Amino acid sequence: MKNILIPTDFSENSWNAILYAVSFFKRMRCNFYLLHVSAYDEIISKALFYETKDTILENIAYTGQEYMQLLLKRIQRLPLNTKHRFFTINEYVFFIDAVRRQVEEKEIDFIVMGTKGASGLKEKTIGSNTGDVITKVKCPVLVIPEKARYSKPKEIAFPTDYNLLYKSRILNTITSIVSINRAALRILHIAKREQELTELQNKNKNFLDDYLEEHIERSFHFLSNQNIEEAVQCFVESRNIDMITMIAKNLNFFQHILFHPTVEKISYHTNVPFLVLHE
């Protein structure tokens, strides 16, 4: 049984994340927890116009529950797996606090979040709430961009610089996702110039190769490019990549690929799902 947390603001973007999650986990027994968090600063600001905080919460709770019921009715019209169950949660605290609490209380296996992406060069490619969850909550996060539509993943890219020795828990999650979908894992090493791997990098690469060999189809690739995002874009297009998985610990490498604000000619932010893992 998998426990899946899906934060929602009732937008079409968050609906797209629900559609993807239901399809991605369609072969598994799952509890889906739909979480709506009322912005705490909104509650505080409304305190200026209401007599008590309780009055504010009553109004917000009523609206949130109404929207949740409409959302459940919309979900029920989908061709659902009978082994999928849906639960609704309304919270009135800071967003990250609400997510952390649900992850702990419900023993969440995956968080699934939609993200709108950037519409201009100076905008961030990942929304603030999604970015906060990725960096501040230690739980696997499946990020669904606005234009991503579910198709069974066949090619999953794993960008790495081989500077980290990945723990078994991380690799087990990756191999599980790859195996369930009968996909192939494409390990991608990106460097600004072509050069031999260090002793540490070779050691980590060999460990990765030995571990994955027993579990899944995999291959190793190298691209040289001064711009990491351009290298990822090239790889995504040339291999028809369906998903990108990354480890959040290597912040410099990770942030370049997922959070870099320069999105000109870079489209993978808007149509390729990201699976972000934590140690």
Side-chain angles (χ1 to χ4, degrees):
M1 175 73 76
K2 295 292 184 185
N3 294 320
I4 316 297
L5 180 68
I6 310 179
T8 178
D9 59 2
F10 309 116
S11 66
E12 286 304 301
N13 189 44
S14 60
W15 172 249
N16 187 46
I18 293 172
L19 290 178
Y20 196 98
V22 168
S23 297
F24 187 76
F25 295 103
K26 64 183 176 183
R27 298 185 183 278
M28 303 181 192
R29 294 174 61 89
C30 294
N31 292 324
F32 290 96
Y33 295 94
L34 307 172
L35 170 66
H36 175 65
V37 182
S38 296
Y40 196 75
D41 55 355
E42 178 186 352
I43 295 173
I44 297 301
S45 66
K46 286 185 177 179
L48 298 173
F49 303 99
Y50 291 92
E51 293 183 1
T52 67
K53 183 178 177 181
D54 290 340
T55 308
I56 304 169
L57 293 178
E58 285 175 8
N59 279 273
I60 292 177
Y62 181 74
T63 304
Q65 289 167 5
E66 278 190 320
Y67 278 120
M68 275 295 193
Q69 291 307 309
L70 291 173
L71 180 60
L72 282 176
K73 288 180 180 179
R74 192 176 183 186
I75 291 172
Q76 288 166 0
R77 291 196 290 267
L78 300 174
L80 297 173
N81 181 341
T82 56
K83 297 177 181 179
H84 286 177
R85 297 191 301 169
F86 293 85
F87 304 89
T88 63
I89 305 165
N90 287 285
E91 288 273 23
Y92 316 104
V93 295
F94 290 111
F95 181 78
I96 287 298
D97 292 339
V99 172
R100 283 177 176 154
R101 180 160 65 192
Q102 296 306 320
V103 166
E104 182 178 352
E105 290 181 358
K106 306 298 190 301
E107 298 182 346
I108 296 299
D109 297 293
F110 291 90
I111 301 170
V112 182
M113 291 191 71
T115 185
K116 187 172 177 54
S119 58
L121 295 181
K122 294 184 179 180
E123 296 185 38
K124 293 182 179 179
T125 54
I126 298 294
S128 59
N129 279 345
T130 305
D132 283 345
V133 169
I134 289 171
T135 55
K136 298 177 182 178
V137 181
K138 291 193 174 182
C139 180
V141 183
L142 187 56
V143 181
I144 312 302
E146 59 180 325
K147 295 181 182 178
R149 299 295 179 266
Y150 177 79
S151 63
K152 186 177 179 181
K154 297 179 181 178
E155 298 275 329
I156 300 177
F158 181 19
T160 178
D161 56 10
Y162 299 129
N163 283 321
L164 294 176
L165 180 63
Y166 300 120
K167 295 182 179 179
S168 296
R169 185 165 63 91
I170 290 284
L171 297 179
N172 286 339
T173 302
I174 294 176
T175 55
S176 173
I177 293 297
V178 173
S179 298
I180 288 170
N181 290 283
R182 296 179 181 177
L185 188 68
R186 309 303 180 191
I187 300 99
L188 173 63
H189 174 51
I190 303 169
K192 292 185 177 181
R193 61 182 182 276
E194 191 167 354
Q195 58 186 15
E196 290 187 7
L197 298 178
T198 66
E199 183 179 347
L200 175 64
Q201 286 176 312
N202 269 313
K203 181 180 178 180
N204 291 338
K205 180 184 178 182
N206 291 335
F207 173 80
L208 191 60
D209 192 18
D210 292 341
Y211 185 94
L212 296 175
E213 183 179 17
E214 301 178 6
H215 299 88
I216 57 173
E217 178 186 342
R218 80 276 182 265
S219 60
F220 291 81
H221 306 264
F222 171 77
L223 283 177
S224 174
N225 196 311
Q226 291 292 320
N227 187 294
I228 293 176
E229 307 97 291
E230 287 183 3
V232 173
Q233 181 67 36
C234 178
F235 193 73
V236 165
E237 292 178 353
S238 64
R239 301 288 311 193
N240 291 321
I241 295 298
D242 303 298
M243 180 176 290
I244 299 172
T245 186
M246 294 196 68
I247 315 303
K249 185 175 181 179
N250 192 340
L251 289 178
N252 184 47
F253 188 72
F254 172 71
Q255 288 179 348
H256 261 290
I257 292 178
L258 195 56
F259 292 106
H260 201 286
T262 304
V263 294
E264 187 177 15
K265 299 181 181 178
I266 305 296
S267 64
Y268 64 82
H269 292 96
T270 62
N271 53 32
V272 179
F274 273 81
L275 176 62
V276 182
L277 304 176
H278 294 263
E279 292 188 338

